[in-house]
Every structure is written in structure tokens, then in C-alpha cells.
Amino acid sequence: MAAKVDSFYVASACNQHASEATIIKKKLKKKNRYVNQMHKWLIVAIELKIRMLSRHRNGAMYDPKKCVARLDILNSRVPENGCQRILADKHKMLVFWTKLREWEFIFTIMMARKNNYKYLYLTLWGIGPINTIQTFSSIINIGETTAGGAAGALLSIFLRIIFNIITAFSKILKCLQQTKYYKNVKGIRSNQTVLGALARVLREDWKKSLDLSYNVVYTFFCFSVFSNFHTVISHFKIGSLCMDIIDGELQRTDQYREQLTKRRKATDGAMADPNKLQQDYDRNLKKYQAVVAKQDQVLRVCTYLLLNIAEDARVEEKMRRKNIVGLLVRMVDRESPDLLLLVVSFLKKLSIYVENKDDMADLNIVEKVSRLVPNENSDLLNVTVRLLLNLSFDGGLRQKMIKVGLLPKLVSLIGEERHQQAVLAVLYHLSVDDKCKSMFTYTDGIPNVMKLVLGSPGGAVPLELMALAVNLAANKRNAQLICEGAGLKLLMKRALKNRDPLLAKMIRNIAQHEGPTRAMFSEFVGELCSVVSVGGNEEFVLECVGILGNLAIPELDFCQLLSKYNLTTWIKDCLMPDMVEDDLVLEVVVLLGTVAQDQAAAQLIVQTGILEALVNLLNAKQEDDEVVLQIAYVFYQLTRHEATRPKVISLTEVPAYLIDLMHDKNSEIRRVCDTTLDIISEHDEDWSSRIQCHKFRWYNSQWLEMVEEAETLDTMGGEEMAGGEGLGHSYLHHSDVLAHHGLYSGSLEEDLSSPESEEYPGMNGHADGSSRPSSSYTNRFSADLEQFADQLLKKAGV
């Protein structure tokens, strides 16, 4: 049983310089060990290194020689405990003494097997097909004839070898991971046996090894990169399996965390040695952290695979039914940046659907994601902000964002160029709510927005930035902060230079607030009037007219402005029906309401024929509540002045229209009309009687209808009631006064003495229709109406 060295003889390596060599040093390095099945040889692959020293003590190192030593130990009968002695005595140069127990186990198994079993040798570095049952049975048989310690040692060795099998299988899978290249994927796809084996191993053994799970899933992930091979994943149901793996690993993490918590509590409250308990806790914490790190890799590749195959809407719907949203939200609590990047990206993709958004809201997604803002990982931060942008379309989630303190965090990110667009979009959505607008005052949002607006290169300011600025300017305190210093002057200068309509809209919102900010516009009124008279950009002209309409400043001489810039002709042309856009018509009427507050300007309006143009416009735009409201307000302003009131009353259409609108469904229209009719009644006795009579008939319309119908029934013998229309018929009138311009031309007695004439018109010209919206200009005349009501009460002595 001698050791035979093939391929190279040890001494032949140094014959060439034997005459000069004085000292020869040899070094053996074991490279591999395996068993030759055919000849029952134990093969030990070694690497031989020879170093020779000459007489002059000069060293020369030759190239390493690869040798193979063949040990015929398996051809003889070896006692159960004889391997250790034989190897130690005969081959101590080729076999390390620390590996004797492992070799003894291998020899025992090889000697006990039968020749008809199909197997390949088992080594510590690789595997082949092996009859595991026979191997394990051999261990049991050995254990029955040996001491318990020896059997335990053999079993421990077997478990180590099984672990090496899994490790080696993982290494094989790493070779398969080269399927990420399209050509390799196409080749492996045709081998259904390999793919089926991988799927079966993953389905049955994913709980046993995280490394195995990671490598198998990664192999299928390489298929998911290409849409052409998604059928392979769906065929083996890898997507469903990945969701099961994610759920299982998350549950395992929760169990580990509970165990650590119990140990921590036991450490705090135990009477034993605290240092020992702390060491035990630290040791378990390190194990937990190592497991979590491996879990993050598995969760990451599973999530990536699901994200790739979710490009199919049907597959995504199946995932939603299996609660993919819940799994992703649970993974938001993880700490791995790479995993969080995929999880948040997946949530962003799913959040575009209302059902998924509602599920996220129920799982408190905003509270979980808020910890990721701000973040050192720029990619993760960008995806998180975009997820918040999708969620911010929901009003309830916007309130949660404010509640968890995301507003100052997002404001701090305005200056970062990469996240600026998404951050501004989220802040714009938050600024839609009036309660949130005031909260910007307590952040650096206003200075940052002003800096970006004034410092934007080129003529146009980014849309998201201007949308946020327009909303912020609608708050009075924010407007004051914007106008501090030279803020308003710089905004006006940029707006007039670039003719930017969005910037003009922001300035228009600033002008709507009463107080010192409105007085700052006095120096810019001339330039605004010049822009309106010259024309040009219609959108910019529209906003300039809107700014002028908000400037209810007593010190302004509107009469001089109208004459100097010839605005009366332009206004009259704009009031012609279908001449300009409805938006511009509305703003012109609003401007007239502001201008009419000045008595001289009001006289100019009446003298230039604008009043008649307003009446014609009212008749043409009677379906537009906003236009009707603003025209009624102009009538109210004109009736306040002694010089213009007679002209308004002399045009009988104006009081008739006001009486008709007095019972309009819009509460603001009714309020303005009532107040204007009170002014007319106070200064004209004829119209006072007519208005009083109309109010009487309206208030008692049901009683009057019943009386008139009773008289009709008496004369007709009840035929009408028999026809189906009796006292249950509606007593409200729905005729329109706007269609009867000569209604009040006769005397009041004639109207009251003709019950069989046409029904009294003007109750509501729009009975059939939905309720009208409230005015967006309510605040601009509420104070005037209240002031007039107080004056009436004082005159009445109340």
C-alpha cells in the first residue's frame, strides 16, 4: 500500500542543478482530494514547490509542479478505527492530521456501500449525484456498532457535508446567474428540465437556506429582465412563490425581533449576572443583524422580479388581490437602502390606481414613508418624493402629510435641483388647502420661492414653481412677506418685462388683499393701464385687468385714468356680446365695479353708454351667474351716487332685471339685488310701490294662487280638478322677466286688477336646473352692503 506519485517525480525536478545544489527545500500544498470509483483509489492532488540554495547561498525558486498522489488504501480491508493509524504512519506528508476524522468517515461509507448503487464521490469542495439515503443509513449502521460519541461525531460531520452540498449548489447557481445575458437566457430557456428543477428546489427548500433562495430567485430574475421570457416565470408560478417568500421572511423577522425583545426585558429585570446577560443579548443581536442582512438580499431580488413582471396589468391585478401592497408597506420598515429603493419604486407604480392608494392610506403609508425624507441616498429620496406626489392627490393624505411634519422637510429640499420639480409639485398640492397656506409662513418657503422666481433664467418661470407661488399669494400673511422690501417692485418689473401671465396672476392674488400691500400698487397703475390700452398678449392683458379690478384704492383717480388711456372705448367694445372671451368680459365687468366707486368715474360710465352695454350684456349672459352678479354690483355702485342714480332708474329695464334676480337661487345675487332695490325704493316712490307689491305677491304667492284657483273651480264646475290638477299644483311662478321688457309700463292698479292676465313674472328665471355656485367675488362687496344696511337702520331710527 505504497503511495505512488504520477505525472512528475519529485527528484526529477532538481536533477539539472544537483551538482551545484547544497540545500533542497520542498513544500507540499494540498489542492484537492477525491475517490476514484473504478480503481478504488484515494486521489490527493498536491502542489509541489522546490527551493534550492547554491554554494553561494543564492536562492532559486522553480515553478510549482502539479502532482497527483494515488493511495491504494481502499483496496485492502481496513479496520473501523484503522484509517487514522494508516494515514498517520504511511502518508503523513499528504494528509493533515486535522482532517483524519473526515477521511475516516468517507472511508467507512465507501467500504459499506454496494457496487450496484449509482453514485459519485463526495468531497469537501463539490458535489455530484449521491444516494443520500444509503449514506445516512450507513451512518445509522455505524452508530449501532460504535460508541455514542463516535456516532454523534459522524452525524456532525454528515451535517457539515450537507451544508457544504447546499453551499456548492449555490455556487452552481451563481454560474447560472450568467443568464442575465440575452443569448444565455435564450439557451437556458429551452432546457425545461433545469428550470423545472430550480423551481421545485425553490418551492420545497426556500425556508432552509437564504443563500439557496437568493441564488435560485436571482436566476429567474434574470429571465424577468426580458419581457419575452415572462412566460417562463408565469409557467412555473415564480411570482406567487416570491410573494410567499417575502411574507415568510417578514414573519421570521418579526419572530426574531420578538425574541430579542424578550431577551432584552429579561436582561433588564433579571437578578443574575447582568454582564453575562448583556453579552448573550449582544451575541443574539449580531446573529439577528446577520440574518436580516441576508434577508434583505432575498427580499430585494424577489421584489425586483415582481416589479419587472408587474408591467403586465393583469399580473399586477393578481398581485393586488394577493395583498402586494401590504407586503410592500411592511418592507418600508427595513433599513437597506437598496431594498427600500425598490419597495418605494413599486409603491409609486401602484399608487396611480385609486384602489391601491386607498389600501396604502389604510396601512398608514404616509407615517411610514415620512422617515425617509430627507435621506442621504439621492435616488431613494427622489423616488420617495414622487410617491408622495402621487399620494398628495388625496385630501386626507395631504392632511396626514401636514400632521407628520412633512411640510418643513419638503421646503428644505426646494433648493436641490434634482428633487426640485417633484418637491414643488407636492408643495403645490399641499398649498391648495387654505389651512396649509398659512403654515408656509412659519417655514422658509416664501423666501425660497421668491428667490427661485426672481432668479429663474430666461423669460418664463417653471410651471410648478409659479403654481405654488400663485397659491401662496392667495394668503394675506404670505402676500405681506412677498411684498417685504423690494419684492413687489421686482415682481412687477419682471412681469412687465417678460409679459408673463402666470407672474401677473400671482401679483393679482397679492392685490386682492386689503391693507398696506394694496396701497403699494399705486405707483404701477399707469403701467398696467398702458398695457391694457395697447393690448398684445391676451392672457397677460387679462391678468392686468384683473389686477386693476382688485385695486379699490380711494386715492386713485379712475376718471383721469379712463380718459388718459382711452379705456372707455376699449371697455365698451369688450362688453359687446361674443366680441371677446368670456373670461375677459368678466374681468372688465369687475373693473367697472371697482371704477364705479368713484363718482366722477361713475358719471363717465353713464355718459359714454357703458350702462346700456351692461344691460344688453345682462340679457345675453343671464345663464352665467358670475357675470350677472358682477353686473348687479355695478348697478349697485351706480345707484349709490346722486349723479348717476336717476339715469339708472330711468332705464326701466334695470329695476325690472333686479326684481327678477331678487329671487335667484344664488344667495349673493339675491343679496346685491335686494340692497340695490332698497336704494331705488328710498329715492323713487313709484318704484317703491311696485317693489313692495312684488315682494307682497312673492311672499303670499301660495295663498294668492289658492284663491285664484278656487275662483276658477267655481266658474268651471270643478272640471280642472277632475282633470288631475287641483290644489296640489305648484304655486310658485317660473316665468322670466328678461323676456318681457315692457312689464312695468302700465299702472300698478292695472296689474293687480287682471288676475286672468299672464302670471306675474320674475320669480325665478331658471327654475329647472341645478343650484348655482357661490360667487368667487363675495368679499369685494360684502362690506359695502353691510355699510349700506347700517345706514338704512340709522335712518329708520332702529
Side-chain angles (χ1 to χ4, degrees):
M1 190 173 55
K4 194 180 278 187
V5 179
D6 297 337
S7 303
F8 293 97
Y9 186 67
V10 175
S12 64
C14 55
N15 285 339
Q16 183 178 0
H17 303 285
S19 59
E20 300 179 0
T22 56
I23 301 175
I24 300 177
K25 291 186 177 182
K26 293 178 291 183
K27 182 178 180 181
L28 294 176
K29 184 177 180 181
K30 287 73 178 177
K31 298 296 289 184
N32 202 351
R33 305 174 180 82
Y34 59 93
V35 177
N36 186 291
Q37 178 182 354
M38 182 178 297
H39 300 286
K40 296 185 178 181
W41 291 340
L42 176 64
I43 307 299
V44 181
I46 62 176
E47 186 178 84
L48 178 63
K49 295 182 180 180
I50 303 174
R51 182 179 178 84
M52 296 185 301
L53 297 177
S54 63
R55 298 176 181 176
H56 304 288
R57 309 302 294 176
N58 295 327
M61 177 66 72
Y62 287 88
D63 294 336
K65 305 299 181 181
K66 295 182 180 180
C67 307
V68 178
R70 186 175 70 245
L71 307 180
D72 295 333
I73 187 172
L74 296 180
N75 287 330
S76 60
R77 292 186 177 181
V78 182
E80 292 181 357
N81 297 328
C83 291
Q84 181 177 357
R85 179 179 56 80
I86 295 174
L87 292 174
D89 294 343
K90 301 295 183 179
H91 309 290
K92 58 184 179 180
M93 292 181 60
L94 301 178
V95 179
F96 287 119
W97 65 272
T98 57
K99 303 293 184 179
L100 291 179
R101 185 175 294 276
E102 297 180 15
W103 284 115
E104 184 177 358
F105 168 72
I106 296 175
F107 295 154
T108 305
I109 299 301
M110 295 295 294
M111 297 297 294
R113 70 174 178 238
K114 295 181 180 180
N115 293 331
N116 58 353
Y117 283 129
K118 294 181 179 180
Y119 66 92
L120 284 179
Y121 42 85
L122 174 67
T123 69
L124 300 179
W125 297 275
I127 63 169
I130 182 170
N131 194 318
T132 308
I133 298 178
Q134 175 64 20
T135 305
F136 191 74
S137 301
S138 302
I139 295 177
I140 300 300
N141 294 332
I142 294 172
E144 293 176 355
T145 57
T146 56
L154 291 177
L155 183 59
S156 176
I157 294 172
F158 180 76
L159 293 177
R160 288 185 59 188
I161 292 175
I162 293 299
F163 175 77
N164 290 330
I165 291 175
I166 297 176
T167 305
F169 188 64
S170 299
K171 292 181 179 179
I172 295 174
L173 291 172
K174 288 182 179 180
C175 296
L176 289 176
Q177 289 174 6
Q178 296 189 5
T179 56
K180 59 186 177 181
Y181 300 107
Y182 182 81
K183 294 182 179 180
N184 297 335
V185 172
K186 189 175 181 180
I188 295 178
R189 180 190 180 185
S190 60
N191 195 333
Q192 295 293 324
T193 304
V194 173
L195 296 178
L198 290 176
R200 185 175 65 254
V201 169
L202 180 63
R203 185 174 294 104
E204 296 175 356
D205 298 333
W206 67 265
K207 297 181 181 179
K208 299 179 182 179
S209 172
L210 290 172
D211 293 332
L212 180 66
S213 301
Y214 171 78
N215 288 300
V216 176
V217 175
Y218 188 87
T219 302
F220 286 102
F221 160 73
C222 296
F223 284 90
S224 70
V225 174
F226 306 99
S227 301
N228 298 341
F229 303 121
H230 285 183
T231 55
V232 176
I233 298 174
S234 61
H235 175 71
F236 294 105
K237 299 181 179 180
I238 302 301
S240 177
L241 186 57
C242 285
M243 294 185 66
D244 294 338
I245 293 175
I246 292 174
D247 189 22
E249 295 301 333
L250 292 176
Q251 292 180 6
R252 184 184 302 179
T253 303
D254 295 338
Q255 294 175 359
Y256 288 162
R257 191 178 293 112
E258 290 178 1
Q259 294 176 2
L260 279 176
T261 304
K262 292 179 180 178
R263 289 180 180 273
R264 188 63 181 177
K265 292 180 179 179
T267 302
D268 297 337
M271 301 299 294
D273 186 7
N275 295 329
K276 185 176 180 180
L277 294 175
Q278 184 64 33
Q279 292 177 359
D280 181 64
Y281 173 79
D282 294 339
R283 183 170 58 256
N284 286 279
L285 180 61
K286 291 181 179 179
K287 292 181 180 179
Y288 166 75
Q289 293 173 348
V291 172
V292 168
K294 288 188 175 181
Q295 282 183 333
D296 289 342
Q297 294 181 351
V298 175
L299 295 176
R300 178 174 177 268
V301 70
C302 289
T303 306
Y304 213 156
L305 185 146
L306 293 174
L307 179 60
N308 287 343
I309 64 177
E311 65 182 23
D312 188 346
R314 294 173 296 178
V315 176
E316 183 176 325
E317 177 61 22
K318 292 180 180 179
M319 293 182 187
R320 194 191 72 82
R321 290 198 295 265
K322 292 196 66 174
N323 193 27
I324 184 64
V325 175
L327 296 177
L328 293 173
V329 173
R330 289 168 62 188
M331 284 192 287
V332 174
D333 296 330
R334 312 288 290 197
E335 299 295 335
S336 173
D338 296 333
L339 174 61
L340 288 175
L341 179 61
L342 285 174
V343 170
V344 178
S345 299
F346 207 161
L347 287 172
K348 180 180 72 69
K349 181 179 185 299
L350 296 174
S351 63
I352 62 177
Y353 297 101
V354 177
E355 297 84 358
N356 297 331
K357 183 261 299 178
D358 294 338
D359 293 341
M360 295 178 194
D362 296 337
L363 296 172
N364 299 322
I365 182 63
V366 174
E367 289 82 348
K368 293 179 178 293
V369 171
S370 61
R371 71 181 185 89
L372 302 178
V373 180
N375 199 290
E376 295 180 356
N377 190 320
S378 181
D379 295 332
L380 177 58
L381 179 59
N382 187 266
V383 175
T384 303
V385 174
R386 295 187 180 276
L387 171 62
L388 292 174
L389 175 58
N390 289 353
L391 298 177
S392 63
F393 285 90
D394 185 88
L397 293 177
R398 289 199 299 268
Q399 295 179 1
K400 287 187 178 180
M401 292 179 191
I402 299 299
K403 186 177 180 180
V404 299
L406 276 174
L407 179 60
K409 294 181 180 179
L410 293 172
V411 168
S412 63
L413 298 175
I414 292 180
E416 298 186 17
E417 184 176 357
R418 181 180 182 185
H419 316 299
Q420 188 177 97
Q421 183 180 10
V423 170
L424 289 174
V426 178
L427 292 176
Y428 164 71
H429 284 174
L430 295 178
S431 65
V432 171
D433 303 327
D434 292 334
K435 293 182 179 179
C436 183
K437 288 186 180 73
S438 60
M439 299 185 69
F440 279 86
T441 307
Y442 306 101
T443 66
D444 295 333
I446 303 299
N448 291 337
V449 169
M450 286 293 294
K451 181 179 179 181
L452 293 175
V453 169
L454 297 175
S456 296
V461 183
L463 183 61
E464 295 82 5
L465 177 59
M466 282 312 308
L468 175 60
V470 169
N471 281 358
L472 294 180
N475 180 267
K476 186 174 183 178
R477 179 55 184 159
N478 292 339
Q480 292 175 355
L481 293 176
I482 292 173
C483 295
E484 284 185 352
L488 180 60
K489 184 176 181 179
L490 294 174
L491 289 176
M492 288 294 302
K493 182 179 179 180
R494 183 181 178 92
L496 294 172
K497 177 182 178 181
N498 299 320
R499 296 293 194 266
D500 190 347
L502 291 178
L503 196 55
K505 186 182 292 291
M506 175 186 176
I507 299 172
R508 173 182 170 184
N509 283 353
I510 297 174
Q512 72 181 356
H513 303 294
E514 298 180 356
T517 55
R518 181 176 291 178
M520 296 180 182
F521 284 88
S522 300
E523 57 179 304
F524 308 111
V525 173
E527 297 180 65
L528 293 172
C529 292
S530 176
V531 171
V532 172
S533 62
V534 172
N537 190 338
E538 294 183 0
E539 294 183 1
F540 185 68
V541 171
L542 173 67
E543 299 302 331
C544 290
V545 174
I547 296 173
L548 292 173
N550 288 334
L551 299 181
I553 305 175
E555 293 79 10
L556 287 179
D557 188 353
F558 286 104
C559 182
Q560 181 181 0
L561 292 173
L562 294 177
S563 303
K564 180 179 179 181
Y565 296 98
N566 195 23
L567 292 179
T568 54
T569 304
W570 178 82
I571 291 174
K572 193 173 180 179
D573 294 338
C574 291
L575 295 180
M576 296 292 292
D578 301 329
M579 288 296 295
V580 295
E581 296 292 335
D582 291 344
D583 292 339
L584 183 57
V585 171
L586 177 61
E587 296 303 329
V588 170
V589 176
V590 172
L591 175 60
L592 288 175
T594 303
V595 172
Q597 297 180 15
D598 184 12
Q599 184 171 350
Q603 292 178 351
L604 185 61
I605 291 174
V606 173
Q607 294 172 1
T608 54
I610 296 178
L611 180 58
E612 289 79 2
L614 286 173
V615 174
N616 295 332
L617 181 64
L618 177 61
N619 193 26
K621 300 290 185 181
Q622 54 183 295
E623 300 294 335
D624 192 334
D625 276 15
E626 200 65 58
V627 174
V628 171
L629 175 61
Q630 299 307 321
I631 293 176
Y633 181 71
V634 176
F635 293 159
Y636 161 74
Q637 291 290 352
L638 294 177
T639 56
R640 292 181 60 192
H641 305 297
E642 294 290 341
T644 57
R645 188 183 304 119
K647 183 65 173 177
V648 175
I649 296 176
S650 64
L651 289 175
T652 57
E653 292 86 352
V654 173
Y657 292 153
L658 293 176
I659 290 175
D660 177 62
L661 297 172
M662 187 172 57
H663 306 294
D664 193 86
K665 290 184 178 181
N666 191 310
S667 60
E668 291 299 325
I669 293 178
R670 294 198 305 268
R671 185 181 180 187
V672 176
C673 291
D674 287 341
T675 308
T676 308
L677 289 174
D678 290 340
I679 298 176
I680 295 175
S681 299
E682 185 179 0
H683 296 86
D684 189 279
E685 295 181 359
D686 184 27
W687 277 109
S688 176
S689 301
R690 296 188 184 189
I691 294 170
Q692 185 178 2
C693 178
H694 178 82
K695 290 183 178 180
F696 174 81
R697 290 183 63 87
W698 175 263
Y699 187 77
N700 300 282
S701 59
Q702 292 188 1
W703 178 77
L704 292 175
E705 278 289 334
M706 293 176 65
V707 171
E708 293 177 0
E709 192 156 329
E711 294 177 356
T712 304
L713 290 175
D714 292 339
T715 58
M716 298 179 62
E719 295 179 2
E720 184 176 352
M721 180 178 292
E725 293 186 6
L727 296 178
H729 184 61
S730 174
Y731 299 108
L732 297 180
H733 304 279
H734 304 294
S735 60
D736 194 346
V737 72
L738 298 177
H740 307 278
H741 302 291
L743 176 65
Y744 298 102
S745 58
S747 63
L748 180 63
E749 290 78 3
E750 182 181 354
D751 292 336
L752 294 177
S753 62
S754 55
E756 297 180 359
S757 62
E758 187 177 2
E759 292 183 350
Y760 194 88
M763 300 305 173
N764 194 339
H766 313 284
D768 299 330
S770 59
S771 60
R772 300 180 183 178
S774 300
S775 171
S776 60
Y777 293 90
T778 302
N779 295 330
R780 74 183 287 267
F781 47 80
S782 296
D784 295 338
L785 298 180
E786 292 174 359
Q787 182 180 1
F788 177 73
D790 294 339
Q791 294 177 359
L792 290 179
L793 292 175
K794 290 180 180 179
K795 290 182 179 180
V798 179

